[in-house]
Amino acid sequence: QVQLVESGGGLVQAGGSLRLSCAASGSIFSMKMGWYRQAPGKQRELVATITSGGSRNYADSVKGRFTISRDNAKKTVFLQMNSLKPEDTAVYYCNAYDFGLQRDYWGQGTQVTVSS
């Protein structure tokens, strides 16, 4: 079992930056980690993922603006968000996928609001 706790959300003006953190209660060394978001009335969507080997994948809407990174020693995953837009407003969720157990873990989410 891994528990994930997100932090770093808040209210920011368009063009601003935020850095989200996701702290895990256990080792994430072998897990694929990701950030997803869900805006009101919309489905949850992938924002970015990073494998244990460091390979990154981004949604087209955030490429060039967001950067995902991980610190396995600190059991933490980050999402640096720059040049934020009002359409980035959503609840952001941290995800961990355990290939061995073939299961997902989710955090409780952190709200990001970008004002125009």
Side-chain angles (χ1 to χ4, degrees), residues 7-114:
S7 61
L11 174 64
V12 63
Q13 288 188 331
S17 299
L18 282 174
R19 189 190 195 204
L20 304 184
S21 298
C22 171
S25 61
S27 174
I28 61 169
F29 181 80
S30 62
M31 295 186 185
K32 181 178 182 179
M33 304 298 296
W35 287 95
Y36 292 72
R37 66 187 181 187
Q38 187 167 18
K42 295 187 177 181
Q43 289 188 329
R44 191 173 297 188
E45 63 177 5
L46 179 146
V47 176
T49 60
I50 183 168
T51 68
S52 58
S55 296
R56 296 171 171 85
N57 180 53
Y58 296 96
D60 288 342
S61 59
V62 306
K63 282 181 181 177
R65 300 188 298 122
F66 291 12
T67 302
I68 188 171
S69 61
R70 63 193 292 164
D71 186 332
N72 291 332
K74 295 183 178 180
K75 298 180 287 185
T76 304
V77 179
F78 305 96
L79 185 68
Q80 177 66 44
M81 305 186 295
N82 299 327
S83 303
L84 283 160
K85 304 175 181 179
E87 50 264 44
D88 294 319
T89 295
V91 177
Y92 283 70
Y93 296 91
C94 180
N95 170 267
Y97 182 72
D98 187 324
F99 289 95
L101 297 177
Q102 294 185 315
R103 66 159 291 177
D104 283 292
Y105 299 94
W106 292 93
Q108 82 289 348
T110 185
Q111 176 70 47
V112 172
T113 303
V114 184

